Amino acid sequence: MKKIKFTKNNIALGIIVVLSAILNFGNLSIEGYGNAYYAAAVKSMTLSWKNLFFVSFDPAGFVTIDKPPLGFWLQAISAKIFGFSGVSILLPSALAGVISVILVHHLVKKSFGSVAGLLSALFLAITPVFVAVSRNNTIDNILILFLLLACWALLIAAEKGKLKYLILSMVFVGLGFNVKMTEAYLVIPALYLTYLLSNAISLKKRIAHLLICTVILLGVSFSWALIVDAVPASSRPYVDSSTNNTVTELIVGHNGSERFSLSSSSKTAGGGGGTMPSGMPSGGKAPSGMPSGGKAPSGMQGGGTAPSGTMPSGVPKPSGTMPNGMQGGSGSSSSQLQGTFGGEITSGLTRLFLKSILSDQIVWFIPLAIFGFIAVFIKEKLRFLLNNKRKQSIVMWFAWFSPEFLYFSFNTGTFHSYYLTMLAPPTAALAGIGIVALWELYKEGTRKAWLLPVALLLTGATHLLMLYYFISYSNIIKVLIVLVALLCVISSIILGALNIRKKTEGEQGIDPALKLRKILISLALVGMTITPLVGSSAVLFTKLSSSFPAAGLELLSGTQSGGMGSSDSSSSTKLISLLEKNKSASQKYLLVVNSSSSAADIIISTGEPVMSLGGFLGSDKIVTLAQFKQMVKSGEIRYVMAGGMGGGTSSSDIMTWVKKTGKLVSSSLYSDASKTSSNITSGTVNTTTTKASSSDSKTKTSSEQGGMNSSQQLYDLKAYTDSSTSK
């Protein structure tokens, strides 16, 4: 076994890895179960092999979640090993974040040296959105780990012309596809271009290798989907958010075409689909930047409009407050941000730098990354032939960075702010490589030396702009403004001034100002890392939005956001007690609700099956009224929570029948009247949706969506079951 040498590089890397581990794991228990929708699925997956394979949302295997399995398999394995808990299901993402930092260091160091590798690793470790997603059970950072492994294998394949490493690279991408579907393919241009332009083997062989590996890539990518689609629908859960109960359609539609759009008319939050969920914070106002009608994007936990009536305490609902940047009502610092979801923010090259929900998540090192690529382009004299590993590496990183940057800048389809974590690795790598390349050009003393001070100045200006957006949040912001101005901006100005003065050499050809220049660039580096580090460190003391994790300066306001997908199982205790007390031997489902968001907390608390009629958004057409009646007749269903979020045509018919047939249960039996006032959603949101949900292309009003403006009420169907069996 190779001994670890305590070199300066290894010691520095160790410090960065420890820092990453602290940010990712420190006080992780405050995040609870993270996103309750995914947490409930993991709970269900630990209960049976069938649920595990099909990523069933509920223990009965009624409906799946809207994502592929691999990331959640890892969470389920962790839950099995350490016991089901918030920390155990967050562990895989946190660990993936730390390993990714190590991988970025290795990949950059291999081509550009230890300094570039260490800086890249540091930049990634403190990028706010990367830290936030590492502390959440969304699986984006698990995807990043697979893609970095793909890059590792690809660089070896490009350098040596080895087919087996290219195959391995495509296998990792295919596994990434089974983590987050089409999102994994955003790295494909980088991998294909780098290998195609390498010169270890002939062009003919390179093309042949890529064709072979494309078949392997598609085979690995669609392996699980094809198996699931081959299983009869009656023998597996319904595929959530698909229009025809197939994973293939889910890939093409909800997780494919809906995620990409350049239409200027797509001004709904995230690109359309779904309406404003219940659980709106006190004040009931649509957040700043919310389109008319209060629409929320496809992919939001639950899709209902805010109910006009009160909601009894104990009724399942999205718990916690709206996510950061979505707070309604005056006095919420987060409401100062523009928009709610990425696709809603004005598209263009400056989108990521605007005052919005995307602010301060990823932009910190983007100017440096761009200038860094320019510096390497000049220094390496890049041409179409990539004849060394430095050229191959820089092209790969930039070809990963470019489509991601353009996607987040111009896409008006469905994407959430935390997707920006996909841009973090190439940005960090290019910035780390860039600092070294810019410094080398600066020492040459030619006109190219101006790139360094200009890059540092623009990076410092970007930091000051972000700080200005959040200046009212905390006095810490004002201190950071002074530090960034002194350390980064002033240092870059002095570096520029030193460049004006003709370089004088000592007797041995040594630049007498070199030591001063090194001090200045070191100070500038401190200045450009201090703000993202402070913003990322805030996660150690502030609970993140569970559905839309975001770190950064916004956390300095002290606002704690549970988010619409957070778990608050205590609110359902009385309801659960009633349901469990009256559950019969023949009863399959503890409760029936409209959408998955209303079922998550109960599944987490009890491990009992809860039927979400409309799946994730509440709009899937899973069962017909006739099928539902038959389940009630057989005693599989007794209690139904009518109203609340979601409600497609099918669920609307079922809920109408439930209200006519069932016995209304007194709210005092399942809710705490003393807490009712705390669950009142005041104010209303426009009840007419201007666009259909992702699962239904027809325009619908809230009344057509199952009465989503009505309060949730519990109905007992036991009398109908008894009358049916007595005939």
Side-chain angles (χ1 to χ4, degrees), residues 586 632-635 718-727:
S586 62
V632 176
K633 286 181 181 180
S634 64
K718 185 176 185 297
Y720 181 83
T721 303
D722 292 342
S723 64
S724 299
T725 54
S726 63
K727 292 179 182 179

Side-chain angles (χ1 to χ4, degrees), residues 44 67 187 319 396 454 462-463 471 524 585 597 608 639 673 723:
S44 301
K67 294 293 183 291
V187 78
S319 44
M396 184 196 71
V454 171
T462 299
H463 286 220
I471 195 169
S597 60
E608 292 280 354
Y639 289 104
S723 64

Side-chain angles (χ1 to χ4, degrees), residues 167-315:
I167 292 174
L168 184 59
S169 179
M170 295 301 110
V171 168
F172 281 129
V173 177
L175 293 174
F177 186 90
N178 283 286
V179 174
K180 204 72 187 292
M181 291 185 174
T182 52
E183 190 174 335
Y185 281 2
L186 286 173
V187 78
I188 286 294
L191 304 181
Y192 275 55
L193 183 64
T194 303
Y195 191 78
L196 187 63
L197 297 181
S198 63
N199 72 331
I201 55 176
S202 67
L203 177 61
K204 185 177 180 179
K205 284 187 176 181
R206 279 175 268 155
I207 294 174
H209 287 180
L210 287 173
L211 290 175
I212 293 170
C213 288
T214 298
V215 175
I216 295 172
L217 169 65
L218 294 175
V220 176
S221 296
F222 288 87
S223 56
W224 178 79
L226 293 176
I227 293 172
V228 174
D229 288 350
V231 176
S234 59
S235 301
R236 59 169 172 80
Y238 183 91
V239 179
D240 193 284
S241 296
S242 68
T243 58
N244 64 358
N245 194 15
T246 66
V247 180
T248 302
E249 199 285 326
L250 177 67
I251 293 169
V252 175
H254 181 68
N255 287 326
S257 60
E258 287 184 24
R259 310 291 168 173
F260 298 89
S261 175
L262 295 177
S263 172
S264 60
S265 63
S266 180
K267 292 298 181 185
T268 59
T275 49
M276 196 65 179
S278 57
M280 178 82 77
S282 178
K285 296 190 289 186
S288 170
M290 175 69 77
S292 176
K295 292 194 63 165
S298 164
M300 180 179 289
Q301 271 70 5
T305 54
S308 57
T310 62
M311 183 178 290
S313 174
V315 175

Side-chain angles (χ1 to χ4, degrees), residues 16 35 108 151 174 353 375 432 470 513-514 521 579 581 592 598 670 688:
I16 294 171
N35 188 309
V108 174
C151 289
F353 300 88
F470 297 89
L514 182 60
I521 193 172
L579 298 175
K581 180 180 179 181
V592 176
S598 298
Y670 61 89
T688 302

Side-chain angles (χ1 to χ4, degrees), residues 57-371:
F57 167 73
D58 59 282
F62 178 72
V63 65
T64 70
I65 55 176
D66 63 349
K67 294 293 183 291
L70 187 52
F72 300 104
W73 284 349
L74 296 177
Q75 293 180 13
I77 292 171
S78 177
K80 272 295 188 181
I81 294 173
F82 302 106
F84 181 80
S85 68
V87 172
S88 69
I89 63 177
L90 299 178
L91 182 63
S93 290
L95 187 59
V98 176
I99 297 173
S100 295
V101 168
I102 298 172
L103 274 173
V104 165
H105 168 266
H106 172 76
L107 293 174
V108 174
K109 178 189 174 184
K110 183 179 178 182
S111 300
F112 290 94
S114 60
V115 174
L118 290 170
L119 289 174
S120 299
L122 175 62
F123 294 158
L124 180 61
I126 64 175
T127 297
V129 69
F130 182 78
V131 173
V133 177
S134 292
R135 297 173 63 88
N136 189 267
N137 55 335
T138 54
I139 31 71
D140 295 70
N141 278 9
I142 295 176
L143 169 60
I144 283 175
L145 175 58
F146 281 105
L147 296 186
L148 286 172
L149 289 170
C151 289
W152 162 76
L154 185 281
L155 288 176
I156 297 175
E159 182 183 357
K160 300 181 179 180
K162 297 288 187 179
L163 176 60
K164 63 180 180 181
Y165 283 102
L166 185 61
I167 292 174
L168 184 59
S169 179
M170 295 301 110
V171 168
F172 281 129
V173 177
L175 293 174
F177 186 90
N178 283 286
V179 174
K180 204 72 187 292
M181 291 185 174
T182 52
E183 190 174 335
Y185 281 2
L186 286 173
V187 78
I188 286 294
L191 304 181
Y192 275 55
L193 183 64
T194 303
Y195 191 78
L196 187 63
L197 297 181
S198 63
N199 72 331
I201 55 176
S202 67
L203 177 61
K204 185 177 180 179
K205 284 187 176 181
R206 279 175 268 155
I207 294 174
H209 287 180
L210 287 173
L211 290 175
I212 293 170
C213 288
T214 298
V215 175
I216 295 172
L217 169 65
L218 294 175
V220 176
S221 296
F222 288 87
S223 56
W224 178 79
L226 293 176
I227 293 172
V228 174
D229 288 350
V231 176
S234 59
S235 301
R236 59 169 172 80
Y238 183 91
V239 179
D240 193 284
S241 296
S242 68
T243 58
N244 64 358
N245 194 15
T246 66
V247 180
T248 302
E249 199 285 326
L250 177 67
I251 293 169
V252 175
H254 181 68
N255 287 326
S257 60
E258 287 184 24
R259 310 291 168 173
F260 298 89
S261 175
L262 295 177
S263 172
S264 60
S265 63
S266 180
K267 292 298 181 185
T268 59
T275 49
M276 196 65 179
S278 57
M280 178 82 77
S282 178
K285 296 190 289 186
S288 170
M290 175 69 77
S292 176
K295 292 194 63 165
S298 164
M300 180 179 289
Q301 271 70 5
T305 54
S308 57
T310 62
M311 183 178 290
S313 174
V315 175
K317 60 184 177 62
S319 44
T321 59
M322 299 289 280
N324 292 324
M326 290 187 63
Q327 308 287 345
S330 59
S332 172
S333 55
S334 292
S335 66
Q336 299 174 28
L337 298 179
Q338 175 198 349
T340 52
F341 296 90
E344 179 192 342
I345 311 303
T346 304
S347 61
L349 288 174
T350 61
R351 174 191 267 178
L352 300 182
F353 300 88
L354 298 175
K355 184 179 182 181
S356 70
I357 191 62
L358 305 178
S359 297
D360 84 323
Q361 294 304 299
I362 192 66
V363 301
W364 305 104
F365 307 112
I366 287 180
L368 189 58
I370 295 172
F371 273 91

